[in-house]
Amino acid sequence: MEKKQIDWSNIGFGYMQTEKRYVSNFKNGAWDDGELTSDANIVLNECAGVLQYAQTVFEGMKAYTTEDGRTVVFRPDLNAQRMVDSAKRLEMPPFPAERFLDAVNQVVKANEAYVPPYGSGASLYLRPYMFGSNAVIGVKPADEYQFRVFATPVGPYFKGGAKPLTIKVSDFDRAAPHGTGHIKAGLNYAMSLHAIVTAHAEGYDENMYLDAATRTFVEETGGANFLFITKDNKVVTPKSDSILPSITRRSLLYVAEHYLNLEVEEREVPFEEVKEFAECGLCGTAAVISPVGKIVDHGKEICFPSGMEQMGPTIQKLYDTLTGIQMGYIEAPEGWVMEVK
Ligand SMILES: *Cc1c(COP(=O)(O)O)cnc(C)c1O
C-alpha cells in the first residue's frame, strides 16, 4: 500500500477529504445494504429533521498503524454500542453494531493510503454519524435516516510535548439531570460553543462544568472526561448520569487497575475536593490524556503540584501504557484492538 505524500506531523486537527465514505439509508422501516461512495456531499430537503430539530448523533475514533505494520482501530465495538444508545435516546433507529464495525472496516480499508505510518504520531480519524433526513415540520422523529462514516487524517495531538492546560470553572451548564449529557449528540456541542468561545477569549483552554442541579460536583469538559490522581496515588473519576461515558476513560481505569496496580474510584467528586488532588487530566480519543496544570474558579486558582511544564508522573504512566497498548508494543486485553482486513 502506497501511502499519500502528506506531512503527517504537521496536518493538525482539520478536515481533509479522503477517497471513500460509507453510506446507508433507513427508509420504510429498514436500513438498506449500504455502500462506499466517492461523493463527499449530501443533498437534503430544506426541511430535513436534522436541520430543523437537530436529530443527529455521532462517534469519534481513530485508525493507526502499529509497530508491526498492522492497521488497527481501538475498541470500535464500544463506539458501535454507544451510538446505539445515543440513537435510542433521540428516537432514531439504531444502526446495528456489527454493521457499524463492518462500515468502519470498509472505510479504513478503502482509505488505507491515508492511514499515517507508525511513529508519525498521526492517525486516521473516523467519524460515524447519523441524522434524520426526510422533511419534518411538526415536532416528531423523522421517518428516514442516513448513517455515514468518513475518514480524515489528523496530526499528533501533542506537538512538541504535552503542555498542561489551564481551565476555568464555567458559569454555563453542559447537561441537565435526566437530559442528554450521557449521549453523543450534536446538540450537546451546539450549546457548548458559546461557553468555549468565551473561555478561549478569556485565555483558558477548556471549561470545567459542574453538575447543573447543585453546582458542587465535577462533571466534565465540553468533550473530555476528568481523571484525578490523589496524593496517595489513587485514580479518581467523577460518576454522574449526565457525563458522556468516554471509552478512553474506561480504558484508562482498566489500565490503572490491571496494568499499574493502582486503586481506582469512580464516584461523585465534590469541587471542594479538587484542590487536594496531586494530578489532573482530561481523557478522550483525540489526546488520550491532556494534563491539566491549573483550574481557575472565579479568580481562585488551583495549581496542581505536577506544574505547568509536564504531565504528572502517574498520568504519564497511564498515557504511556494505553498508547503502548494502542501501538502494539504492550499486550492488549482480549478484544481491544480490531485489525482492519
Ligand atoms: C466524545 C466525548 C468524550 C470522550 O469520549 P471518548 O470515547 O474517550 O473519545 C468525552 N466527553 C464528551 C462530552 C464527548 O462527547
Side-chain angles (χ1 to χ4, degrees):
M1 166 59 56
E2 181 98 12
K3 294 288 178 191
K4 293 281 167 188
Q5 290 304 309
I6 293 174
D7 182 7
W8 300 109
S9 53
N10 285 307
I11 47 179
F13 194 88
Y15 172 73
M16 183 189 296
Q17 195 173 310
T18 53
E19 266 135 53
K20 299 285 184 186
R21 69 278 303 125
Y22 180 92
V23 189
S24 179
N25 287 293
F26 182 91
K27 201 174 171 171
N28 301 323
W31 288 103
D32 69 12
D33 288 342
E35 60 179 5
L36 292 174
T37 170
S38 299
D39 192 353
N41 294 307
I42 299 168
V43 176
L44 279 177
N45 183 270
E46 61 192 346
C47 198
V50 59
L51 299 178
Q52 302 310 323
Y53 303 123
Q55 202 185 11
T56 178
V57 296
F58 68 99
E59 276 301 326
M61 55 219 285
K62 285 173 167 178
Y64 42 87
T65 309
T66 58
E67 193 175 29
D68 59 357
R70 292 171 302 138
T71 301
V72 301
V73 182
F74 184 70
R75 307 191 80 179
D77 53 320
L78 298 187
N79 296 93
Q81 183 54 48
R82 192 167 64 187
M83 196 160 178
V84 166
D85 298 340
S86 296
K88 285 181 179 165
R89 179 62 176 78
L90 292 195
E91 290 295 332
M92 308 169 85
F95 194 70
E98 64 282 8
R99 288 199 54 195
F100 178 107
L101 297 178
D102 173 56
V104 164
N105 189 69
Q106 286 191 45
V107 169
V108 177
K109 214 170 137 60
N111 297 294
E112 204 148 13
Y114 292 91
V115 181
Y118 174 76
S120 64
S123 55
L124 185 68
Y125 185 75
L126 303 168
R127 171 53 59 88
Y129 61 114
M130 53 188 279
F131 52 89
S133 54
N134 67 303
V136 177
I137 193 76
V139 177
K140 65 174 169 97
D143 303 304
E144 296 175 13
Y145 294 86
Q146 190 163 102
F147 169 88
R148 284 190 166 239
V149 184
F150 70 77
T152 187
V154 295
Y157 194 85
F158 299 121
K159 259 202 287 179
K163 265 268 178 220
L165 307 176
T166 301
I167 64 185
K168 76 170 276 191
V169 177
S170 184
D171 291 322
F172 299 101
D173 293 324
R174 189 191 84 88
H178 318 294
T180 56
H182 61 301
I183 62 162
K184 218 164 170 73
L187 53 89
N188 290 334
Y189 279 76
M191 44 64 65
S192 75
L193 295 176
H194 179 60
I196 192 64
V197 168
T198 304
H200 286 167
E202 294 169 353
Y204 300 100
D205 299 302
E206 268 296 346
N207 281 306
M208 169 185 272
Y209 293 105
L210 302 179
D211 75 294
T214 71
R215 292 187 158 253
T216 52
F217 295 102
V218 176
E219 292 260 312
E220 59 171 322
T221 69
N225 287 178
F226 278 102
L227 215 64
F228 299 103
I229 312 295
T230 64
K231 287 180 182 137
D232 55 358
N233 221 23
K234 280 186 202 146
V235 182
V236 177
T237 191
K239 186 182 175 79
S240 152
D241 291 341
S242 44
I243 289 178
L244 195 283
S246 157
I247 294 163
T248 314
R249 185 251 299 161
R250 286 182 268 164
S251 304
L252 286 165
L253 291 189
Y254 184 92
V255 162
E257 209 173 340
H258 298 275
Y259 284 65
L260 302 178
N261 284 316
L262 297 173
E263 242 179 272
V264 164
E265 291 177 359
E266 189 177 354
R267 58 165 168 85
E268 286 188 331
V269 176
F271 178 70
E272 265 307 301
E273 187 185 349
V274 171
K275 60 180 187 303
E276 309 297 333
F277 293 125
E279 300 175 43
C280 174
L282 299 179
C283 30
T285 294
V288 178
I289 314 185
S290 300
V292 174
K294 193 196 288 188
I295 298 174
V296 183
D297 175 26
H298 301 88
K300 265 202 340 244
E301 293 192 350
I302 297 171
C303 298
F304 294 102
S306 48
M308 295 304 292
E309 293 304 321
Q310 63 212 358
M311 283 193 188
T314 300
I315 285 197
Q316 183 77 54
K317 268 187 218 148
L318 285 166
Y319 177 85
D320 291 344
T321 310
L322 189 60
T323 50
I325 287 169
Q326 292 179 331
M327 291 301 153
Y329 52 84
I330 295 175
E331 193 176 343
E334 180 77 27
W336 273 27
V337 175
M338 178 181 91
E339 190 168 344
V340 171
K341 288 192 174 136

